[in-house]
């Protein structure tokens, strides 16, 4: 028989992402709707180990759905990677009466959730990362806002690039994944889109493209470079030396992680937060919420972590075909 849950905790962990607040709001309100008590754990697993735990009411999450970041704060916590840290985390949960936990974060955060589940705390993960690099889901909270923010910034760089007939290398986030670069590259008409999963480090090919495009009369050349490849500034120096065309690097950085979430991020985060609250209420544990083939669903955490994800080959081909 499923364990009866009376009090749940919610925390955000790893890098923050726009829409996390909408997910927290949904977890809190849906759990209250289900008749449970809710506690907010501040600063991820670090806050759990420091017992930074607060009571949450429906009103605690008022006026946050439109705000970027996470009202609970987030952190990376090395202590929680150890068996001793996880045991302490379990004991602190018990002390505060927390028998279920929703963890909003990425793959690393699910490992922590898995450890607590092994100790007997029912845990559910929600995918929260701008990188879209979680294999069990086609959507992660924050990606939509991040690509829209980056797209708008790239459009602006494109204007000045065209005016000065320059080449621009614009570096977007994504850790080792190229989804932000792929989407922004296609959406801004990037001439070269460099993805860590695909790039062969053939810089001469890029140089040839720039020269060929200039001959065709293109006034600018836009290279969207993923963080996982990096080195945009030195690449710009080499490209300029080889082509004789002024080349500038712009690294968009943390602006991509902030700002008011898009409607999509608010909506999906609200559904995922509610879904997590409901399956926790039903007594499920060691699960992660996903969005696959147009449906919200859930997977065993281990199964989810074993799944592989790659840049969809057709979408990658299109990104190159449209750049001619
Ligand atoms: P993300 O959740 O975005 O992938 P990280 O990989 O930085 O971000 O993980 C966030 C936090 O999750 C870590 O700082 C740590 O506290 C916890 N965590 C990561 N890996 C493990 C692990 N193997 N076991 C327990 N906790 C982990
Ligand atoms: O995972 C989100 C992300 O913004 C990545 O795109 C980036 O590589 C990383 O976090 C940066 O992390 P930090 O906040 O530790 O600098």
């Amino acid at each position: 028989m499923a364990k009866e849950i009376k009090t749940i905790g919610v925390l955000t962990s790893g890098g923050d992402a726009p829409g996390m607040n909408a997910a927290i709001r949904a977890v809190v309100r849906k759990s209250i709707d289900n008749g449970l008590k809710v506690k907010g754990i501040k600063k991820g697993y670090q806050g759990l180990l420091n017992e930074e735990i607060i009571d949450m009411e429906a009103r605690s999450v008022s006026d946050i759905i439109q705000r970027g970041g996470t009202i609970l704060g987030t952190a990376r916590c090395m202590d929680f990677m150890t068996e001793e840290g996880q045991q302490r985390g379990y004991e602190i949960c018990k002390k505060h009466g927390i028998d279920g936990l929703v963890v909003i974060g990425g793959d690393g955060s699910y490992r922590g959730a898995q450890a607590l589940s092994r100790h007997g705390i029912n845990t559910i993960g929600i995918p929260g990362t701008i990188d879209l690099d979680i294999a069990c889901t086609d959507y992660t909270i924050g990606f939509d806002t991040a690509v829209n923010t980056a797209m708008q910034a790239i459009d602006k760089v494109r204007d000045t690039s065209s005016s000065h007939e320059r080449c621009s290398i614009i570096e977007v986030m994504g850790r080792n994944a190229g989804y932000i670069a792929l989407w922004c590259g296609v959406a801004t008409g990037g001439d070269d889109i460099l993805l860590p999963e695909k790039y062969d480090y053939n810089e001469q090919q890029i140089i040839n493209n720039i020269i060929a495009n200039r001959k065709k009369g293109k006034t600018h050349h836009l290279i969207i470079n993923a963080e996982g490849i990096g080195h945009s500034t030195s690449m710009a120096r080499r490209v300029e030396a080889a082509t004789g065309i002024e080349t500038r690097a712009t690294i968009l950085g943390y602006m991509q992680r902030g700002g008011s979430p898009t409607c999509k991020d608010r909506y999906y985060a609200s559904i995922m937060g509610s879904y997590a609250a409901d399956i926790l209420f039903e007594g499920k544990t060691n699960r992660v919420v996903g969005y696959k083939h147009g449906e919200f669903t859930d997977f065993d955490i281990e199964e989810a972590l074993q799944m592989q994800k790659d840049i969809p080959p057709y979408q990658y081909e299109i990104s190159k075909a449209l750049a001619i």
Side-chain angles (χ1 to χ4, degrees):
M1 206 183 90
K3 184 175 90 175
E4 195 196 347
I5 302 291
K6 293 203 175 83
T7 302
I8 68 137
V10 54
L11 63 79
T12 48
S13 170
D16 66 349
M20 279 185 166
N21 282 329
I24 295 168
R25 173 178 176 272
V27 170
V28 171
R29 292 203 172 160
K30 192 70 182 74
S31 295
I32 290 170
D33 185 56
N34 289 339
L36 306 186
K37 284 203 172 116
V38 186
K39 305 219 176 198
I41 298 164
K42 298 194 131 184
K43 301 179 203 154
Y45 295 114
Q46 191 62 57
L48 175 63
L49 297 186
N50 293 341
E51 291 192 57
E52 294 185 64
I53 299 172
I54 53 171
D55 290 330
M56 296 195 87
E57 316 292 341
R59 297 280 77 75
S60 315
V61 289
S62 295
D63 201 28
I64 67 167
I65 197 165
Q66 78 284 14
R67 283 164 53 190
T70 156
I71 58 155
L72 291 174
T74 184
R76 297 199 162 94
C77 172
M78 292 308 128
D79 284 353
F80 210 73
M81 314 275 254
T82 65
E83 177 55 39
E84 191 200 350
Q86 294 158 11
Q87 175 67 29
R88 207 147 55 83
Y90 164 73
E91 283 159 12
I92 291 167
C93 283
K94 290 313 278 180
K95 180 176 160 191
H96 289 263
I98 295 171
D99 33 31
L101 180 68
V102 177
V103 172
I104 307 168
D107 283 347
S109 304
Y110 305 153
R111 286 280 176 214
Q114 204 177 26
L116 283 174
S117 180
R118 272 198 302 273
H119 280 91
I121 305 293
N122 283 17
T123 57
I124 307 291
I126 297 180
T129 169
I130 64 165
D131 301 337
L132 196 68
D133 60 348
I134 299 177
C136 71
T137 184
D138 298 334
Y139 165 83
T140 61
I141 295 171
F143 176 76
D144 190 60
T145 307
V147 287
N148 276 289
T149 302
M151 180 188 76
Q152 285 165 17
I154 295 167
D155 285 346
K156 290 175 182 160
V157 175
R158 185 191 172 117
D159 288 344
T160 169
S161 251
S162 295
S163 306
H164 287 264
E165 301 197 355
R166 280 176 177 156
C167 170
S168 272
I169 302 176
I170 305 171
E171 187 173 310
V172 296
M173 272 189 166
R175 208 186 288 256
N176 300 317
Y179 299 101
I180 297 179
L182 175 68
W183 279 59
C184 287
V186 171
T188 59
D191 298 291
D192 283 292
I193 304 170
L194 311 183
L195 314 179
E197 298 89 340
K198 301 286 180 189
Y199 186 47
D200 58 5
Y201 291 85
N202 183 356
E203 217 163 84
Q204 190 56 48
Q205 183 60 54
I206 298 172
I207 290 162
N208 295 346
N209 288 349
I210 296 169
I211 294 168
N213 276 350
R214 198 44 67 104
K215 282 192 184 139
K216 278 190 241 163
K218 277 204 181 186
T219 52
H220 62 256
H221 191 99
L222 216 55
I223 300 171
I224 310 302
N225 187 29
E227 177 189 15
I229 295 166
H231 302 287
S232 298
T233 307
S234 54
M235 195 189 289
R237 272 199 299 271
R238 290 191 299 273
V239 165
E240 179 167 310
T243 60
I245 295 168
E246 267 193 314
T247 303
R248 297 281 196 269
T250 306
I251 298 167
L252 295 184
Y254 291 99
M255 66 178 295
Q256 295 161 93
R257 246 171 47 190
S260 179
T262 58
C263 182
K264 180 170 179 173
D265 277 330
R266 296 181 200 191
Y267 184 82
Y268 279 50
S270 297
I271 305 296
M272 284 184 158
S274 304
Y275 188 107
D278 278 342
I279 61 175
L280 203 49
F281 182 59
E282 286 164 19
K284 284 195 183 180
T285 184
N286 204 40
R287 309 290 294 177
V288 56
V289 178
Y291 182 78
K292 267 282 185 212
H293 313 302
E295 303 272 359
F296 293 94
T297 181
D298 56 285
F299 301 91
D300 174 77
I301 291 186
E302 191 54 43
E303 188 192 331
L305 291 172
Q306 294 305 325
M307 291 180 186
Q308 301 291 321
K309 186 175 194 177
D310 203 2
I311 297 292
Y314 181 70
Q315 294 175 31
Y316 179 61
E317 286 311 313
I318 293 300
S319 76
K320 289 192 293 183
L322 300 186
I324 52 173

